[in-house]
Amino acid sequence: MSTDKKVMIVTGASRGIGAAVAMLAARRGYSVCVNYRHRRDAADEVVAAIRAEGGQAIAVAADMADEAQVVQLFQAVDRELGRVDALVNNAGVLETQMRVEDMDAARVSRILATNVVGALVCCREAVRRMAPRHGGRGGAIVNVSSVAARLGSPGEYVDYAASKGALDTLTIGLSKEVAADGIRVNAVRPGTIYTDMHASGGEPGRVDRLASSIPLQRGGTVDEVAGAVMWFFSEEAGYTTGSFIEVSGGK
Ligand code: NAP
């Protein structure tokens, strides 16, 4: 299926923000790899919606917490779409809301494995393909962080917030490390966005509960986040690296 289109990998693209990024990227001419972990049905729906609009996409299963599966994901993209130009590290998890005094190490390790280690391994695989030193032609990476990195999520999930702080530092460090290779690395920090993620924290109605505490008085949409992610891949962002856009209604 390899063509001369630019190739983008979006991790965790079967639902929520990742699915919206995949759809928008396809509309902007990318061949898109829609990564997912469990929900093959949802990933297939995203691919079908992209193809229905005349776009190109494949669904590839890989658990970001498993290094070998991440490597296989990139190899599948090499084979089926061609060398990757753009990576969106979007897959992210949180667990039931609780205070730090009640958390165990296994829970924190699970969160870090996907949100930090998985993102770093994806960056490694992308740089190995994008850097001219490795025969690449440059590229761009966007990490989907969270305003939780700045707010800390007290009483809910400080572990998740800490993982996003680590992702922000990865963004800054890697952006400087690979700038001379023609690779830009940036991040988007969403605020409170309508997706299934809040149900994983045990509170499906969390966005509506918090709406009145958000300066713009509402939760955000996945399309509003996708627009910011895609700006970092645009020509207008050519001089922007190591930067952050907050899509948080002013929170
Ligand atoms: P979501 O609706 O819960 O969707 C999560 C997506 O990630 C799904 O596609 C899921 O795949 C995938 N995924 C989860 N763990 C994975 C793993 N280990 N390997 C591969 N894929 C995995 O989440 P969302 O709200 O769209 O969140 C997307 C990103 O935005 C996350 O990084 C999150 O931290 C960040 N964010 C969200 C909000 C918000 O308010 N929603 C705010 C700030 C930041 P399956 O369908 O196969 O399960």
Side-chain angles (χ1 to χ4, degrees), residues 55-240:
Q56 195 173 48
I58 58 169
V60 180
D63 183 343
M64 291 302 110
D66 182 324
E67 183 174 15
Q69 291 187 36
V70 173
V71 170
Q72 284 163 10
L73 166 80
F74 277 80
Q75 289 170 340
V77 171
D78 291 340
R79 277 193 314 273
E80 295 183 40
L81 297 179
R83 181 181 285 137
V84 65
D85 299 285
L87 166 67
V88 181
N89 276 316
N90 167 79
V93 290
L94 47 71
E95 299 199 9
T96 313
Q97 294 166 341
M98 66 174 68
R99 294 171 64 88
V100 168
E101 65 211 53
D102 297 319
M103 289 177 187
D104 61 23
R107 163 187 161 123
V108 181
S109 297
R110 282 192 299 274
I111 289 166
L112 294 175
T114 294
N115 298 9
V116 182
V117 182
L120 189 144
V121 174
C122 281
C123 287
R124 181 192 76 198
E125 293 303 309
V127 169
R128 285 180 180 174
R129 288 161 174 81
M130 293 174 178
R133 281 175 290 117
H134 298 294
R137 55 187 177 217
I141 297 172
V142 174
N143 294 322
V144 180
S145 174
S146 171
V147 290
R150 174 165 60 68
L151 299 172
S153 305
E156 293 192 315
Y157 14 69
V158 169
D159 49 358
Y160 165 83
S163 77
K164 295 301 187 177
L167 188 59
D168 285 1
T169 304
L170 167 63
T171 302
I172 294 165
L174 184 64
S175 72
K176 294 173 180 170
E177 190 169 297
V178 298
D181 294 312
I183 304 170
R184 295 180 301 103
V185 187
N186 293 288
V188 171
R189 290 196 194 110
T192 314
I193 311 298
Y194 284 99
T195 72
D196 298 342
M197 172 167 262
H198 309 283
S200 348
E203 189 186 358
R206 180 171 177 270
V207 180
D208 288 331
R209 173 174 66 82
L210 293 175
S212 62
S213 69
I214 298 166
L216 284 180
Q217 298 291 302
R218 64 171 179 86
T221 69
V222 293
D223 291 331
E224 288 169 325
V225 180
V229 169
M230 289 309 298
W231 182 79
F232 278 127
F233 293 108
S234 70
E235 274 182 31
E236 289 87 343
Y239 195 54
T240 303

